[in-house]
């Protein structure tokens, strides 16, 4: 596991992306849980952290594909591939991601 960030810099339901070991990873803090996903839309590579979260659904800012933040599954296209999900752990106020 690699430290991604201190949770104090995160806001509820506001995606935030980080670059770690040449990978872009987005974190979403929703309903008390932290979800770590790939930070680029699988449809056209949009910076999906600029999208919006409503309930457990992340909407891409470019073509409005929708993804389940818990599983990365596509809920509405045009995207066909799910977002990659990363395991994470909260330790002493910091979020660590499994790369």
């Amino acid at each position: 596991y690699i430290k991604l960030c201190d949770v104090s810099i995160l806001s509820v339901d506001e995606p935030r992306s980080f670059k770690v070991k040449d990978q872009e990873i987005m974190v979403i803090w929703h309903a008390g849980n932290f979800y770590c996903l790939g930070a680029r839309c699988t449809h056209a590579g949009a910076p999906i952290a600029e999208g919006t979260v409503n309930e457990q659904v992340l909407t891409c800012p470019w073509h409005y594909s929708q993804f389940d933040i818990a599983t990365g599954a596509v809920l509405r296209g045009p995207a066909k591939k799910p977002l990659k999900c990363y395991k994470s752990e909260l330790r002493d106020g910091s979020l660590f991601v499994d790369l």
Side-chain angles (χ1 to χ4, degrees):
Y1 282 82
I2 295 173
K3 183 177 176 178
L4 192 61
C5 67
D6 290 331
V7 296
S8 62
I9 67 168
L10 301 174
S11 298
V12 174
D13 290 338
E14 289 185 23
R16 184 149 182 189
S17 65
F18 300 89
K19 192 155 190 163
V20 180
K21 290 199 168 192
D22 296 329
Q23 293 188 49
E24 288 183 82
I25 299 173
M26 169 183 55
V27 178
I28 300 171
W29 180 11
H30 175 76
N33 296 307
F34 295 94
Y35 300 97
C36 295
L37 304 148
R40 294 282 169 177
C41 182
T42 58
H43 170 245
I48 201 158
E50 294 176 10
T52 58
V53 176
N54 185 11
E55 297 297 320
Q56 207 167 302
V57 178
L58 172 66
T59 301
C60 178
W62 286 6
H63 302 112
Y64 309 108
S65 291
Q66 293 185 324
F67 300 88
D68 182 314
I69 63 172
T71 65
V74 176
L75 301 175
R76 184 179 84 191
K80 294 185 182 347
K81 294 180 183 177
L83 293 173
K84 183 172 182 176
C85 292
Y86 296 88
K87 291 181 183 178
S88 63
E89 288 183 2
L90 185 60
R91 300 181 199 159
D92 298 322
S94 295
L95 190 63
F96 289 77
V97 66
D98 184 7
L99 295 181

